[in-house]
Amino acid sequence: LPAGLSQWFPALEVLDVSGTGLTEMGTELLSLPCLHTLLAKNNRLGGPGSLPKGLEQAPLARSLRVLNLSGNRFSEVPPVVLQLRGLRSLSLGGNRLHGIPPDIQELHSLEFLYLGGNFITAIPPELAKLPSLRYLVLCDNKIQSIPPQLAQLHSLRSLSLHNNLLTYLPREILNLVQLDELSLRGNPLVVRFVRDLTYNPPSLQELAGRTIKTRNVPYTPSDLPESLVRYLSLASNCPNPKCGGVYFDSCVRQIKFVDFCGKYRLPLMHYLCSPECSSPFSSASQSSTSQSESDSEDEASVAAHRMQKVLLG
Amino acid sequence: MEQPVQTETWKAQSLEELIRILHQIFAEDKVSVEEVQALMESYESNPEEWLQYAKFDQYRYTRNLVDNGNGKFNLMILCWGEGHGSSIHDHTDSHCFMKILQGNLKETLFEWPEKKGNGEMTKKSERVLRENQCAYINDSIGLHRVENISHTEPAVSLHLYSPPFNTCNTFDQRTGHKHKVTMTFYSQFGERTVC
């Protein structure tokens, strides 16, 4: 960035330095108190000095609303970006990201997150802790599964998952009632019933977590290390209404197909908290070749009908 | 032997002129596909002339009506954000011309699914259309999906459909099943359409 930028243009609100070959954006950024939009796509950013030190203390950390770093060479989300508290829109499309940091949840105000065209293999459940997220783009990555917690993104209107490595979806995806758009093409979604009988016994941490949640054992953040407070907040409810149990990482998985009026069959993964639990949608004794793999439960078919309009085949 | 339709070589110097010549061409009984395609391609995209129609939506591509061709055709501008794409669709027995005004669009052609088919649809071909190129398709050629595969650049395209239509079928790539949909305009003549 040219020296003196903040001196000549102290009231700068929008800065577009896209396509300029920048390898780093210097300290000039620290003295721009009114900047709300920073566009720096198609540059050569990605190295350690890409963003100036001290950015988290600069006025920018509170004022910046839109940050576009797409088309650069970032191999990880720069940690300082996660401290831009006021950020509403973040784009890191077309970079070299291999994952999403769990601390993404720090961006409380985030509404728009574009991470398409990277090498992301997994989605951290913490991504679901973004209460204002409306638009999430994860297309053209290497994602193999979607954490069921993602269904907690109540504001989500559009979810782009095309061209990944998904074989199924978590059944909780049906809970995203605000969803208007969902793209799934270019994924190797399974088309036949798959029964996964692997069940890894729960860890001691999981068993303790389950007990705390199901027995409503009271605790405050000061009682536990922060990592355990976070762990407890990631509990998922067992879909079996008669169970009322929760699970964290250890669960039984069953792929069942939700039928959309005989036209589409989406493979949805049902997580149950233990092998003794049965899915709310069918008895445990269904054979793998049974024709009635489609759920006939009212709740599922209403949600499925709505999903039919949303799916972009 | 039928008289061949006289095809002229047009050069549209502006969007306004393009529209004017289109009206002229479509006023005739017979219209040549090659003539329209060449005309569309001859117009060199000038954003100043179409920026007022180019209204983007954050979540999906938009259709913005520019001219309704005295009922003979619809001319519209489509705005594609990064990663935005269409479903596989047909063209309800109409001619469809698509010219790139900005950025690039990938067009993937598909065969029509078998009547009783229940399998994955067959891809015929794919290509990336560059700025100012104009593609043509109709139902006898096949079905297509159009998408902006860029993660950094939005794309803008100019579409001409004749006769105009507002419903079409979308197809599920994995099964070939079709589903009729009604298309709407995000804006008309530069004004945002309130739904």
Side-chain angles (χ1 to χ4, degrees):
Chain A
L1 296 175
L5 181 66
S6 52
Q7 242 182 310
W8 298 327
F9 305 109
L12 202 61
E13 292 180 11
V14 177
L15 178 61
D16 186 350
V17 289
S18 300
T20 55
L22 279 176
T23 50
E24 54 180 50
M25 290 194 286
T27 49
E28 288 300 322
L29 272 186
L30 303 178
S31 329
L32 289 169
C34 306
L35 199 69
H36 62 66
T37 297
L38 176 56
L39 310 174
K41 53 183 197 177
N42 296 322
N43 283 303
R44 293 194 286 212
L45 300 165
S50 300
L51 295 165
K53 280 199 171 60
L55 192 60
E56 63 278 4
Q57 278 110 29
L60 201 67
R62 273 171 284 113
S63 68
L64 202 65
R65 297 280 174 266
V66 177
L67 178 59
N68 190 331
L69 295 170
S70 59
N72 280 289
R73 302 167 184 190
F74 288 100
S75 54
E76 57 162 21
V77 178
V80 70
V81 165
L82 303 176
Q83 308 218 31
L84 301 169
R85 302 285 167 167
L87 209 61
R88 301 250 166 90
S89 168
L90 174 61
S91 176
L92 276 159
N95 275 280
R96 302 171 187 178
L97 303 179
H98 283 268
I100 306 170
D103 282 343
I104 192 93
Q105 62 179 310
E106 302 292 313
L107 295 174
H108 306 289
S109 311
L110 205 63
E111 295 173 11
F112 178 108
L113 180 58
Y114 193 109
L115 295 173
N118 281 287
F119 303 106
I120 297 170
T121 51
I123 303 172
E126 288 81 357
L127 186 60
K129 302 238 158 218
L130 295 171
S132 312
L133 199 66
R134 292 188 297 167
Y135 186 56
L136 177 58
V137 179
L138 294 166
C139 62
D140 294 295
N141 275 291
K142 308 276 177 204
I143 299 168
Q144 294 180 21
S145 71
I146 307 290
Q149 290 89 349
L150 229 57
Q152 289 164 29
L153 289 168
H154 299 298
S155 303
L156 203 63
R157 283 192 47 189
S158 179
L159 177 57
S160 163
L161 291 169
H162 57 271
N163 299 331
N164 273 289
L165 299 172
L166 297 170
T167 46
Y168 58 81
L169 298 175
R171 70 168 269 292
E172 286 82 358
I173 206 119
L174 296 177
N175 297 341
L176 287 169
V177 288
Q178 294 277 62
L179 206 63
D180 285 333
E181 311 271 336
L182 171 63
S183 65
L184 288 171
R185 64 181 187 278
N187 279 287
L189 295 178
V190 296
V191 291
R192 288 169 310 135
F193 178 73
V194 173
R195 184 186 284 156
D196 181 352
L197 296 172
T198 324
Y199 175 54
N200 292 319
S203 61
L204 285 175
Q205 179 174 293
E206 165 116 21
L207 289 173
R210 288 190 185 198
T211 306
I212 290 171
K213 284 285 173 182
T214 52
R215 305 284 172 118
N216 285 315
V217 175
Y219 64 93
T220 66
S222 55
D223 294 328
L224 299 167
E226 206 195 314
S227 60
L228 285 181
V229 175
R230 272 193 199 180
Y231 178 81
L232 287 172
S233 73
L234 294 173
S236 297
N237 292 310
C238 182
N240 182 354
K242 297 198 186 91
C243 171
V246 300
Y247 62 90
F248 292 85
D249 308 304
S250 174
C251 53
V252 176
R253 304 170 338 148
Q254 271 187 313
I255 291 187
K256 289 195 167 264
F257 287 89
V258 176
D259 210 9
F260 298 101
C261 308
K263 288 186 183 151
Y264 308 99
R265 276 161 60 83
L266 251 202
L268 297 185
M269 178 66 89
H270 291 65
Y271 294 92
L272 302 166
C273 67
S274 76
E276 285 75 49
C277 241
S278 58
S279 157
F281 304 132
S282 65
S283 71
S285 57
Q286 273 201 351
S287 77
S288 60
T289 53
S290 161
Q291 265 299 92
S292 54
E293 288 310 334
S294 48
D295 298 37
S296 54
E297 240 260 357
D298 278 339
E299 181 205 293
S301 59
V302 164
H305 182 70
R306 211 189 40 76
M307 268 280 158
Q308 181 183 343
K309 296 180 192 161
V310 157
L311 272 179
L312 293 172
Chain B
M1 194 166 108
E2 258 191 37
Q3 280 278 53
V5 178
Q6 186 183 9
T7 54
E8 309 200 19
T9 317
W10 302 101
K11 169 75 178 156
Q13 309 277 23
S14 70
L15 182 61
E16 250 184 58
E17 187 169 63
L18 172 64
I19 296 172
R20 196 178 48 71
I21 301 174
L22 282 170
H23 275 255
Q24 209 178 313
I25 293 179
F26 279 89
E28 303 293 322
D29 290 329
K30 281 200 187 317
V31 178
S32 150
V33 164
E34 290 76 23
E35 189 174 5
V36 174
Q37 193 167 3
L39 168 66
M40 299 264 294
E41 208 153 289
S42 78
Y43 165 59
E44 279 175 44
S45 172
N46 179 358
E48 271 178 32
E49 293 168 359
W50 47 257
L51 222 46
Q52 53 173 309
Y53 304 108
K55 301 186 190 302
F56 281 80
D57 182 87
Q58 204 175 59
Y59 304 113
R60 50 163 298 146
Y61 73 93
T62 61
R63 304 168 82 244
N64 305 275
L65 184 65
V66 174
D67 190 275
N68 57 19
N70 287 332
K72 296 278 183 71
F73 62 83
N74 267 350
L75 187 71
M76 63 191 76
I77 281 179
L78 271 60
C79 296
W80 314 74
E82 292 88 313
H84 287 178
S86 76
S87 52
I88 303 172
H89 57 273
D90 63 9
H91 298 88
T92 321
D93 291 324
S94 290
H95 302 273
C96 160
F97 299 83
M98 170 170 73
K99 178 197 175 70
I100 313 296
L101 295 177
Q102 180 185 302
N104 301 294
L105 287 176
K106 176 172 160 188
E107 180 193 34
T108 310
L109 287 182
F110 289 87
E111 301 277 9
W112 279 88
E114 308 277 309
K115 274 277 176 196
K116 286 283 170 185
N118 219 331
E120 179 102 24
M121 284 174 69
T122 316
K123 226 183 255 195
K124 271 176 35 158
S125 64
E126 62 181 47
R127 57 176 167 168
V128 175
L129 297 158
R130 311 275 169 205
E131 274 181 24
N132 285 314
Q133 268 188 285
C134 180
Y136 169 78
I137 194 171
N138 67 42
D139 283 351
S140 68
I141 292 173
L143 308 165
H144 70 181
R145 182 196 303 283
V146 180
E147 37 186 347
N148 178 10
I149 52 174
S150 173
H151 298 292
T152 57
E153 308 307 322
V156 181
S157 53
L158 181 68
H159 295 236
L160 187 147
Y161 299 102
S162 178
F165 58 94
N166 62 1
T167 65
C168 72
N169 291 301
T170 63
F171 296 77
D172 178 2
Q173 188 169 344
R174 288 187 312 138
T175 59
H177 284 126
K178 69 179 184 199
H179 179 59
K180 187 170 174 185
V181 292
T182 307
M183 296 117 79
T184 56
F185 290 115
Y186 193 77
S187 76
Q188 297 193 39
F189 316 114
E191 302 281 329
R192 176 86 173 89
T193 325
V194 182
C195 319

